[in-house]
Amino acid sequence: MIPQNFAYSSPNSLEAALDQLADGSAKVLAGGMSLIPLMKLRLASPESLVDLRRVPGLKYIREENGVLHIGAMTTHYEVESSVLVRATCPLLAEAAASIGDVQVRNAGTIGGSVAHADPAADYPASLLALEASVTLASKAGERTLSLEDFLVDTMTTALEPGEIVREVTVGVERNDVGTAYAKMLQPASGFAIVGVAARIGTGFARIGVTGLASKAYRARNVEALLEGGADAAAAAAVIAEGIDANSDLHASADYRRHLATVYAARAIRQAISRAR
Amino acid sequence: MSTTIATTEKLVGKSIRRREDPRLITGTATYVDDLKLPGMHHACILRSPHAAAKIRSLDISAAQSHPGVVAVFTGPDVAGVGPVPCGASLPGLRVPHHAILATDRVYYVGHAVAVVVATDRYVAADAIDLIEVDYEPTAAVADPEKALEPGAPAVHPEWPDNVSFTYHQEGGEPDKAFAEAEVVVKQRITSQRLVPMPMETRGCVAEYHTAEKSLTLWSSTQIPHLLRTLVGQMLGLSENRVRVITPEVGGGFGCKLNVYAEEALAGFVAMKIGKPVKWIESRRENFLCTIHGRGHVDYYEIAARRDGTVLGLRLKLIQDLGAYQQLLTPAIPTLSVLMMPGLYKFRNISADIIGVFTNCVPTDAYRGAGRPEATHGVERMMDLLAAELNMDPAEIRLKNFIGNDEFPYATATGLSYDSGDYAAPLKKALDMVNYHALREDQRKAREQGRLMGIGISTYGEICAFGPSPATPAGGWESATVKIDPSGKVTVLTGASPHGQGEETTFAQIAADELGVSIDDVIVFHGDTAIVQYGIGTFGSRGTAVGGAALFFALKDLKAKIKKFGEMMLESDDITFSGGVCTCNKTGNTVSLAQIAGMSYRAMRLPVNEEPGMQATRFWEPPNFAFPFGAHIVVTEIDRETGHVEVSRYVAVDDCGNIINPLLVAGQVHGGVAQGLGQSLWEQAVYDDTGQLITGELMDYAVPKATSMPWIETGHTVTPSPVNPLGVKGVGEAGTIGCSPAVVNSVVDALSPLGVRHIDMPMTPEKVWKILQGERI
Amino acid sequence: MKIGGSYELALPPARAYTVLQDPSILARCMPGCDHLNRIGETAEGHVAYEMKMKMAISSVQGLFAGTVKLADPNEPTSFRLIVEGSGKVGFMKGEGVLTFVANGTGTDVRYEGEVNVGGVIAGVGQRLLDVTAKHIIKKFFGKVAAAIGEME
Ligand SMILES: Cc1cc2nc3c(=O)[nH]c(=O)nc-3n(C[C@H](O)[C@H](O)[C@H](O)COP(=O)(O)OP(=O)(O)OC[C@H]3O[C@@H](n4cnc5c(N)ncnc54)[C@H](O)[C@@H]3O)c2cc1C
């Protein structure tokens, strides 16, 4: 449980951080809740770490023109407890609150969570349902992608070497929409065995799923059924169709598929009940 | 600093907060890993990634030449160190030679292969990666039943059947009982392997004093004195030149009731390099290399009459031993056999144990050690019988309990139960849950299609280990009480508490007996150079045996105090109470401080008395103590997901007299947490190739504060006649009572679907599959 | 752990078969594969190659050294692929039968087999083993398809 030697730097400007990351050999350190355990097990042995914790301007939650901007270094706890997030995007606060335990939420960051792209991470389900975007920054400049395009596969994202997640943006929740996140948690880690986020309005549905497949995804088939007037159970029933479901010692593929339908129905029903 | 205050108010029986806690919760306690000695080096151990392999060759040259590395040792280097000891003996027991480092073969994942010693812990860890081992993997077997199949891979090639021992015990006429029975119910019941998981992993620091030829070993252990004796033997050191110190020990749960290879290895390294060396177990190593608990596959048969009267119990117990015998490995299942009758009048018993080698880390004592498995078995069988006979589970228990007038009760397994009122805690628990109303709620719930279950377990356990003839290393305990010239009191206990709170309860006892303030008493333990020989803390024995030794030492000391009082007050009619001797005629008094001062200045001495104010007693218990109790658990199952929700938990325990209710509640809570862990979440899973696939806390689900239900506790008090305090022990009770109550509850919830039994852990997927009609 | 699935390649079965037996293609397409050196035939008659592989998924990295073996050739319908490697993070052994079934102008390559891992990756990687194996297989076939595209 002792990592290999690594170089460490803690730059105090974004520019310096991006400089140090430019050649792609260093790893970003955010909350360290995923990276440090891997390093201690020597499953990850980066030669150098660039810690973003002292970089100013990466930790914020603000609303501009109906868009909620969340700095990459904003912790799960900060999102969960933000009055602004709760008021303007309750689904995100609900997702943040469901992550791991208090210690993890105090350290882990939204940028780290999406960059790590763990197939069982909680955030992505909600962020996909929210049609979130991520803004990436590198020495060469910035680009913005939809989260859907950003998440490529298991622990694989569109991040290029030298690039960091700078910000996550979501729209302020529509007035007619109710939202909910429902998950079965794995009792050891708290990660989602299956988690489903639902945003439901009149003739409007967005469903994000995590834990079920190699990456979080939007269940467009469920959305279409709901938008076409199907009830929660009928819509939820198709959520795992065509999905090559994950399997591990906590849940077989069949059980996960089943859970996805159960939690989808629960999330949808709750979202509907919360819609005004 | 307060002076000795005469108190008449008794402390025993009061909920006094633990005196240990301030240092623990302010982070100022000293654990092994907090020690820093001048010149201290660090050891790191290379461990086998294979469950079974031959070591073809081993190349340590790169590690040796790594900057900062001082030495690398492998199997042949430590050939002179004695094997890891097995303290249990059974007829025909096969004990494999357990060298402290593997030589030509490895037998389980985590088996120690080499040790690197370096100036720095990080360097040592890096150098481990530089050792090249050429393994030739061989077939492994991890499942004890598969290990018994013909043609299974042999864990130890010299014993192809993988059987370490068989053991038979019988009482009464079991065959006759079964032949005459009106009902026989059979069930296979497992108790899965568990990882004990103390918060503090193991660790030790060894320092060798070359000139004195003496070794000081700091170790996170439950048994400092036994460790000293055994490590001395392993290293060829004379025992009086070994000093073992246990700093703060962050939990043990039985897994530190052992002597491990690393403890001798640290000593060996310190002797070789002439510098202190520290080894701290990582959490990964703790999973892989510290003993596991449980590991039973049990085949039960219960014989009864149609009216519910139990007649006999049969058990075939397959014990997964792992690859080696640790200190008590083979003895643990024999405890299950001793306790298999539970609280009932089973006059006819038959048990067969098969101890099986597997390519896994050894099993040994884990909270309850054999008794949770036994209780789980008999309590499941009582429910199965009740279901078969359509009887209420409370009723069948009340019908078969040993009666209050039958104590001491000789069991069919050869024990003598000390005292009991077995119906009392059950009745109290039934009252607490309002049983009849609860059953009515359940009926309504079922009408609504809900799966609600009520589970009862009435457990009995054997603890306060124990009379010496029945224990491998002596079952007594020791205590010294010293009163300083200023009248302050120091208790040295041979027990080695590590979280149980004896620094508080023993101070309560001493303060009461001597009539001093608890602030004037300190309790010291865990240093073999300071504390007289002792056995240690395990088997719920700390207070019942160690506390009794303390009681007798205090008694001796009080007699001496009185003699000094008589001399100083020039009267033979005096009373010692409230910390002062009072002449009953004149009313004159002398304080304990005055008496203690006199005893050390020794200007005058009572006839036939020596100077000083100190007494030591070694107390041999005449019997074990047998606590008991009843747990009732209400569960509700999510039909859609199989998730089990514990909606109510009631624990009524009878542990005899209670010294400190707060600590008893704490022990029950902790015990129940571990029982729930086994019931619902925890399992050490080895795959078919012998890889431990639940090897980290991200996959091995230890209960968390947030996963615990509210626990309602209650007590009945049936003093034990075995010791003068009338206490019985409560350290393991919560764990022992818990799992059958939870499983009985879930089976009860699912009984409308025809479910009779579920093995632990009752994970959502397992329950869901049962709901889908799958047979598990 | 059992694995199984199929992947479509735009080649007829006979060609797909030879492509997937071609060590240069295997070396190029096995994710992180450094090189494959033919070491000859094993006692069982398997064609064996020595390999070095650097697996990298996100920040997780492992260096594996081992062998790739091609066995039970049954041209053009099936053969057995055995990949074994070990490194500091543990060891792995994957063994599976590849079956080639014509599908229009292309081929369905079906695979069925078992992956066993040991060491740290087995002890702490359970949660991600299945997804990771799938990820690697997907990546492998993706690269094979790309290589075929280049060849055609
Ligand atoms: C005990 C425990 C329980 C957990 N339970 C859950 C759970 O229930 N649900 C859940 O979703 N998660 C859970 N997690 C994971 C947790 O949410 C992590 O915080 C999160 O996945 C990673 O965020 P981090 O800030 O800690 O990132 P780090 O660990 O610092 O980094 C993770 C990876 O992302 C990269 N990275 C980090 N930030 C950036 C950035 N801004 N730009 C580019 N790359 C970046 C790093 O280089 C690294 O590769 C748990 C973790 C632990 C330890």
Side-chain angles (χ1 to χ4, degrees):
Chain A
M1 305 293 276
I2 288 180
Q4 244 159 38
N5 261 332
F6 56 88
Y8 171 87
S9 75
S10 183
N12 50 21
S13 75
L14 184 58
E15 204 183 355
L18 294 176
D19 264 349
Q20 290 168 17
L21 289 164
D23 72 358
S25 65
K27 271 252 136 207
V28 171
L29 176 66
M33 290 293 97
S34 294
L35 184 54
I36 300 291
L38 289 171
M39 289 172 64
K40 285 185 169 180
L41 291 161
R42 297 193 170 208
L43 287 171
S45 300
E47 276 168 24
S48 56
L49 293 184
V50 175
D51 191 341
L52 296 186
R53 264 174 297 191
R54 280 199 214 140
V55 174
L58 289 179
K59 200 188 247 261
Y60 54 84
I61 300 170
R62 61 172 173 261
E63 193 219 310
E64 278 163 24
N65 308 324
V67 177
L68 208 52
H69 297 257
I70 303 168
M73 290 300 287
T74 310
T75 64
H76 309 332
Y77 177 74
E78 285 160 346
V79 172
E80 158 191 7
S81 59
S82 157
V83 176
L84 182 60
V85 176
R86 286 180 181 207
T88 59
C89 190
L91 179 60
L92 201 58
E94 193 179 359
S98 79
I99 296 173
D101 48 48
V102 169
Q103 290 91 332
V104 169
R105 294 199 292 275
N106 273 331
T109 65
I110 193 166
S113 181
V114 297
H116 195 59
D118 190 300
D122 287 297
Y123 262 140
S126 298
L127 288 173
L128 286 170
L130 289 161
E131 297 171 274
S133 298
V134 284
T135 299
L136 313 180
S138 72
K139 237 189 133 180
E142 293 205 346
R143 59 183 178 131
T144 299
L145 276 73
S146 72
L147 182 73
E148 206 167 10
D149 291 336
F150 176 79
L151 297 174
V152 175
D153 199 356
T154 298
M155 296 170 88
T156 309
T157 66
L159 274 171
E160 294 290 339
E163 226 173 8
I164 68 159
V165 174
R166 193 180 61 70
E167 158 177 291
V168 175
T169 50
V170 295
V172 165
E173 194 55 270
R174 293 162 42 152
N175 274 334
D176 64 325
V177 164
T179 62
Y181 180 57
K183 97 190 228 199
M184 169 167 275
L185 58 80
Q186 195 247 82
S189 67
F191 271 103
I193 287 178
V194 164
V196 181
R199 292 174 64 221
I200 315 282
T202 5
F204 172 87
R206 292 291 177 273
I207 305 290
V209 190
T210 191
L212 184 61
S214 63
K215 63 169 180 169
Y217 66 96
R218 252 181 76 184
R220 289 200 163 73
N221 53 353
V222 180
E223 293 174 1
L225 282 175
L226 287 168
E227 288 179 353
D231 69 10
V238 305
I239 194 161
E241 263 176 22
I243 295 294
D244 184 4
N246 299 339
S247 157
D248 67 5
L249 90 156
H250 302 290
S252 66
D254 282 348
Y255 183 52
R256 269 200 167 76
R257 264 190 224 106
H258 166 74
L259 286 180
T261 63
V262 172
Y263 283 90
R266 288 181 185 181
I268 292 165
R269 282 195 201 104
Q270 188 155 25
I272 291 171
S273 79
R274 285 173 180 172
R276 272 156 295 182
Chain B
M1 194 68 215
S2 65
T3 53
T4 306
I5 297 162
T7 55
T8 44
E9 211 191 350
K10 291 280 180 210
L11 298 172
V12 167
K14 289 235 159 63
S15 283
I16 292 175
R17 289 195 185 194
R18 300 203 325 164
R19 309 170 87 204
E20 293 84 341
D21 287 343
R23 66 172 188 267
L24 297 175
I25 59 183
T26 57
T28 51
T30 304
Y31 295 89
V32 175
D33 201 14
D34 295 318
L35 297 173
K36 290 191 179 73
L37 303 185
M40 187 171 75
H41 283 55
H42 297 266
C44 192
I45 295 172
L46 175 70
R47 299 188 179 274
S48 168
H50 297 282
K54 290 182 187 147
I55 299 178
R56 285 205 208 95
S57 66
L58 214 146
D59 181 358
I60 57 171
S61 53
Q64 276 172 321
S65 55
H66 190 66
V69 171
V70 171
V72 181
F73 300 105
T74 64
D77 299 319
V78 297
V81 179
V84 178
C86 170
S89 61
L90 290 171
L93 180 70
R94 290 167 171 173
V95 182
H97 179 79
H98 188 175
I100 64 170
L101 288 176
T103 47
D104 53 340
R105 292 182 89 100
V106 288
Y107 295 94
Y108 62 95
V109 174
H111 199 159
V113 172
V115 59
V116 170
V117 189
T119 49
D120 176 290
R121 193 183 283 183
Y122 290 78
V123 172
D126 286 346
I128 284 293
D129 280 351
L130 300 174
I131 299 176
E132 297 291 339
V133 189
D134 185 7
Y135 293 104
E136 179 186 328
T138 56
V141 61
D143 175 310
E145 287 195 292
K146 286 191 185 143
L148 289 173
E149 286 170 9
V155 176
H156 297 280
E158 60 271 40
W159 299 310
D161 60 2
N162 289 321
V163 174
S164 167
F165 68 94
T166 58
Y167 172 91
H168 178 76
Q169 187 171 338
E170 207 173 293
E173 294 176 292
D175 290 342
K176 188 160 168 265
F178 274 85
E180 291 172 358
E182 291 163 5
V183 202
V184 172
V185 181
K186 304 181 185 186
Q187 184 62 46
R188 176 183 187 271
I189 298 173
T190 63
S191 269
Q192 76 275 28
R193 258 185 187 256
L194 300 175
V195 183
M197 203 70 67
M199 274 222 238
E200 185 208 16
T201 58
R202 291 186 294 126
C204 47
V205 173
E207 180 176 33
Y208 188 63
H209 311 275
T210 315
E212 292 86 2
K213 294 192 173 53
S214 71
L215 179 77
T216 305
L217 182 67
W218 288 261
S219 184
S220 184
T221 182
Q222 300 173 227
I223 46 165
H225 283 94
L226 296 176
L227 178 64
R228 170 180 179 243
T229 303
L230 294 165
V231 157
Q233 281 169 14
M234 292 169 80
L235 293 171
L237 289 170
S238 79
E239 188 170 357
N240 57 356
R241 293 181 191 275
V242 180
R243 175 182 182 185
V244 172
I245 302 174
T246 61
E248 201 76 57
V249 175
F253 309 118
C255 78
K256 294 174 183 170
L257 159 56
N258 229 306
V259 175
Y260 284 97
E262 293 87 354
E263 289 168 319
L265 190 58
F268 169 85
V269 169
M271 290 166 75
K272 279 281 175 197
I273 68 168
K275 292 274 194 315
V277 65
K278 179 192 276 185
W279 170 75
I280 299 295
E281 184 184 54
S282 70
R283 184 60 67 190
R284 276 284 293 151
E285 288 177 298
N286 185 261
F287 269 96
L288 291 170
C289 319
T290 290
I291 62 103
H292 290 176
R294 321 279 189 254
H296 272 218
V297 181
D298 296 333
Y299 290 85
Y300 276 99
E301 292 178 39
I302 188 171
R305 285 203 207 102
R306 287 240 144 253
D307 69 356
T309 308
V310 297
L311 301 172
L313 193 62
R314 268 198 196 129
L315 165 64
K316 179 177 142 193
L317 189 171
I318 299 172
Q319 172 71 51
D320 176 357
L321 300 169
Y324 284 115
Q325 318 281 17
Q326 280 280 350
L327 194 59
L328 297 170
T329 302
I332 305 302
T334 65
L335 293 176
S336 306
V337 170
L338 287 180
M339 283 315 292
M340 66 184 271
L343 302 178
Y344 314 107
K345 287 189 263 191
F346 281 104
R347 298 313 313 155
N348 307 294
I349 290 276
S350 153
D352 285 284
I353 305 176
I354 311 175
V356 187
F357 290 122
T358 55
N359 289 104
C360 304
V361 73
T363 52
D364 203 321
Y366 167 54
R367 202 167 192 169
R371 293 103 80 205
E373 297 91 318
T375 305
H376 196 75
V378 69
E379 288 304 294
R380 283 295 308 122
M381 293 312 290
M382 292 304 280
D383 259 37
L384 281 158
L385 180 63
E388 180 75 24
L389 299 173
N390 218 356
M391 278 177 81
D392 183 275
E395 184 193 338
I396 199 162
R397 285 171 169 80
L398 289 165
K399 185 177 181 73
N400 287 291
F401 280 148
I402 294 159
N404 291 0
D405 54 352
E406 296 180 78
F407 293 96
Y409 180 84
T411 72
T413 54
L415 297 172
S416 172
Y417 287 175
D418 58 344
S419 62
D421 179 356
Y422 294 161
L426 176 56
K427 287 183 177 154
K428 185 160 183 178
L430 293 170
D431 281 350
M432 283 167 75
V433 299
N434 201 351
Y435 189 60
H436 292 292
L438 193 61
R439 285 281 177 208
E440 185 53 27
D441 289 349
Q442 182 184 37
R443 199 186 52 73
K444 286 186 196 138
R446 282 182 176 162
E447 277 173 12
Q448 296 162 10
R450 281 161 50 208
L451 300 171
M452 172 184 165
I454 304 164
I456 298 175
S457 94
T458 46
Y459 73 91
E461 68 142 322
I462 178 172
C463 75
F465 284 72
S468 294
T471 45
W476 46 267
E477 198 45 87
S478 67
T480 294
V481 183
K482 307 197 274 192
I483 303 178
D484 298 332
S486 57
K488 308 291 177 187
V489 182
T490 301
V491 173
L492 308 179
T493 172
S496 193
H498 46 279
Q500 294 81 359
E502 271 93 339
E503 287 174 37
T504 306
T505 49
F506 283 17
Q508 287 176 261
I509 294 168
D512 272 5
E513 292 299 318
L514 296 174
V516 300
S517 156
I518 193 166
D519 295 331
D520 286 344
V521 183
I522 64 164
V523 178
F524 192 87
H525 54 85
D527 182 342
T528 63
I530 296 173
V531 180
Q532 70 290 337
Y533 207 96
I535 301 298
T537 291
F538 54 86
S540 304
R541 70 190 303 279
T543 306
V545 191
L550 171 62
F551 176 87
F552 285 108
L554 287 164
K555 195 172 166 200
D556 286 0
L557 209 54
K558 283 194 296 183
K560 186 165 185 179
I561 290 166
K562 259 185 103 173
K563 287 214 181 141
F564 272 86
E566 286 168 0
M567 177 187 78
M568 291 166 77
L569 292 168
E570 296 174 337
S571 160
D572 54 9
D573 181 14
I574 68 151
T575 313
F576 175 55
S577 149
V580 287
C581 281
T582 309
C583 174
N584 294 333
K585 292 206 185 86
T586 63
N588 292 343
T589 62
V590 280
S591 71
L592 187 58
Q594 288 169 313
I595 289 172
M598 172 64 85
S599 79
Y600 287 97
R601 278 195 309 283
M603 310 291 275
R604 277 191 299 145
L605 290 172
V607 182
N608 289 335
E609 280 298 340
E610 295 169 352
M613 197 52 77
Q614 172 164 342
T616 297
R617 285 293 292 266
F618 286 64
W619 185 68
E620 169 66 23
N623 189 5
F624 301 98
F626 296 87
F628 53 93
H631 289 204
I632 299 183
V633 175
V634 183
T635 55
E636 177 117 17
I637 292 164
D638 183 331
R639 244 181 212 281
E640 287 184 309
T641 65
H643 175 82
V644 174
E645 183 72 32
V646 175
S647 48
R648 193 130 186 231
Y649 200 111
V650 170
V652 180
D653 296 274
D654 191 321
C655 57
N657 290 335
I658 293 177
I659 311 263
N660 185 329
L662 193 62
L663 270 65
V664 166
Q667 290 295 317
V668 171
H669 287 186
V672 167
Q674 282 174 312
L676 284 170
Q678 171 160 26
S679 306
L680 297 172
W681 305 295
E682 294 181 45
Q683 58 180 334
V685 182
Y686 281 92
D687 72 9
D688 289 343
T689 64
Q691 295 291 332
L692 180 64
I693 60 175
T694 47
E696 254 299 335
L697 287 166
M698 292 299 268
D699 282 311
Y700 185 92
V702 175
K704 301 184 176 74
T706 50
S707 39
M708 290 296 293
W710 186 253
I711 300 168
E712 300 162 61
T713 53
H715 296 282
T716 60
V717 175
T718 310
S720 172
V722 172
N723 60 67
L725 300 171
V727 300
K728 289 194 167 192
V730 73
E732 294 154 298
T735 312
I736 294 169
C738 177
S739 73
V742 181
V743 176
N744 286 344
S745 181
V746 172
V747 170
D748 184 49
L750 296 174
S751 60
L753 309 173
V755 173
R756 295 177 68 241
H757 177 72
I758 306 179
D759 273 324
M760 302 178 286
M762 299 179 292
T763 59
E765 179 162 16
K766 190 185 275 181
V767 174
W768 176 73
K769 281 185 173 161
I770 291 168
L771 287 165
Q772 304 311 298
E774 253 181 69
R775 286 201 54 163
I776 298 280
Chain C
M1 181 179 69
K2 295 240 179 298
I3 50 162
S6 71
Y7 201 91
E8 227 181 285
L9 292 181
L11 285 177
R15 284 280 293 133
Y17 183 96
T18 32
V19 163
L20 281 173
Q21 289 233 332
D22 179 344
S24 69
I25 298 273
L26 290 178
R28 260 173 68 197
C29 299
M30 283 171 37
C33 187
D34 215 89
H35 68 278
L36 280 185
N37 279 345
R38 193 183 158 102
I39 44 178
E41 293 210 357
T42 64
E44 308 98 310
H46 303 166
V47 184
Y49 300 90
E50 177 206 43
M51 66 119 187
K52 279 220 167 63
M53 206 169 184
K54 187 177 172 184
M55 298 263 208
I57 297 172
S58 173
S59 39
V60 181
Q61 278 180 6
L63 219 61
F64 293 91
T67 55
V68 174
K69 288 182 209 155
L70 307 177
D72 307 343
N74 183 14
E75 197 168 352
T77 40
S78 72
F79 71 92
R80 179 181 294 272
L81 183 68
I82 306 159
V83 183
E84 280 174 278
S86 67
K88 291 299 169 200
V89 298
F91 56 87
M92 49 117 180
K93 180 176 180 178
E95 185 167 348
V97 175
L98 298 174
T99 315
F100 300 82
V101 182
N103 176 3
T105 55
T107 306
D108 257 354
V109 186
R110 299 192 183 146
Y111 59 93
E112 190 113 16
E114 204 165 320
V115 175
N116 281 309
V117 295
V120 184
I121 39 177
V124 307
Q126 277 309 310
R127 198 170 63 77
L128 295 170
L129 224 52
D130 160 76
V131 274
T132 307
K134 282 183 197 157
H135 174 76
I136 291 169
I137 292 167
K138 214 187 305 171
K139 226 167 153 175
F140 169 71
F141 279 115
K143 286 187 167 195
V144 172
I148 290 169
E150 281 169 34
M151 284 186 309
E152 299 305 287

